[in-house]
Amino acid sequence: MTDIKACIFDLDGVIVDTAVYHYKAWKRLANELGFDFTEEQNEQLKGVSRVRSLQLILGWGGVTKTEAEQTELATRKNDWYVDMINQMTPAEILPGALDFLEACRAAGLKTALGSASKNSMTILNKVGIAHLFDTIVDGNHVSAPKPDPEVFLKGAEALGVSPTECVVFEDAIAGVQAAKNGGMKAVGIGSPETLSQADLVVSGLDKMTIEKLKEL
Ligand code: BG6
Ligand code: MG
């Protein structure tokens, strides 16, 4: 058994299902530019920064844009996305997420958010769980995107624990890689085929327990 002292949670796809809102907003943008992309392609956007997501999508559509145009397009997408997340309620917390966060804290473990999103505070406030995190590190605080471990290492540092004492919960391939690159344990949320690099994969936080954490 490892001496686990902290749990670091990704947000989109682990605690809330905002991936669907990202998809809707990106799809609307692509459609306005005259092309479409599939849900399979959308999988590749999970955990990926806003700017990089736009570049991937433009590539799929065979569209070239200047940097200034890219900034405008990313802002347009984000405005639609923010309109959607502003409607979110606590009912959109994914099954088991609240219980597991509370169980971690009751077990004396520290908790952090480690998200690529620059909208994480809006989401946490809308669903009413910001107070369950000892520290919040998101897209506003990091310069290197996942799979770089920066976001998780900053979380560990803020919590005063070493990376080997942390378990990261992630639904994205790039996120699991970021955890492993940072020397942390990774629990994948999703399918074992997709998240094969994780130490354990569960379908959702409703399938996670403190006992399973201790066995990692
Ligand atoms: C990640 C999502 O959590 O945040 C990505 O999985 C998203 O799909 C990224 O692109 C950045 O989010 P935002 O809210 O800053 O545009
Ligand atoms: Mg995610």
Side-chain angles (χ1 to χ4, degrees):
M1 181 194 127
T2 331
D3 189 15
I4 302 295
K5 293 196 175 140
C7 290
I8 307 181
F9 297 86
D10 174 48
L11 179 63
D12 296 319
V14 171
I15 292 176
V16 284
D17 191 14
T18 39
V20 57
Y21 300 138
H22 280 297
Y23 181 51
K24 277 188 189 165
W26 283 129
K27 199 173 162 67
R28 182 171 168 187
L29 187 74
N31 290 169
E32 282 195 0
L33 295 171
F35 64 94
D36 207 355
F37 66 95
T38 64
E39 284 200 48
E40 285 70 44
Q41 285 171 312
N42 186 58
E43 277 301 303
Q44 295 176 45
L45 304 179
K46 288 187 177 172
V48 175
S49 73
R50 193 183 309 166
V51 176
R52 182 69 194 128
S53 298
L54 176 66
Q55 290 166 349
L56 284 171
I57 292 165
L58 292 177
W60 295 333
V63 173
T64 310
K65 295 284 177 190
T66 64
E67 218 175 300
E69 287 167 335
Q70 288 184 27
T71 304
E72 188 277 317
L73 291 171
T75 303
R76 208 192 298 176
K77 178 266 175 181
N78 192 57
D79 289 346
W80 294 327
Y81 178 70
V82 169
D83 282 347
M84 288 187 270
I85 59 173
N86 270 328
Q87 310 297 318
M88 288 181 82
T89 69
E92 289 181 68
I93 298 172
L94 285 168
L98 193 58
D99 284 350
F100 186 66
L101 268 165
E102 284 172 346
C104 286
R105 295 175 70 84
L109 298 166
K110 296 208 181 293
T111 54
L113 189 85
S115 167
S117 174
K118 294 184 173 172
N119 293 300
S120 68
M121 274 322 297
T122 304
I123 297 167
L124 290 178
N125 287 330
K126 282 285 162 190
V127 303
I129 54 169
H131 63 287
L132 293 176
F133 297 94
D134 294 305
T135 192
I136 290 167
V137 185
D138 70 12
N140 298 297
H141 312 111
V142 294
S143 49
K146 299 171 187 177
D148 189 286
E150 183 186 7
V151 65
F152 298 138
L153 293 177
K154 281 202 166 155
E157 195 185 346
L159 294 175
V161 298
S162 75
T164 53
E165 295 169 326
C166 296
V167 179
V168 169
F169 294 84
E170 258 292 350
D171 69 316
I173 299 168
V176 168
Q177 285 169 345
K180 299 313 294 176
N181 288 340
M184 299 175 175
K185 290 270 195 293
V187 175
I189 306 291
S191 87
E193 291 75 35
T194 313
L195 304 171
S196 55
Q197 291 182 45
D199 298 284
L200 168 73
V201 179
V202 291
S203 58
L205 287 177
D206 54 342
K207 299 288 183 311
M208 198 58 210
T209 60
I210 299 296
E211 287 67 39
K212 284 187 190 173
L213 202 65
K214 287 181 176 165
E215 283 163 17
L216 287 169

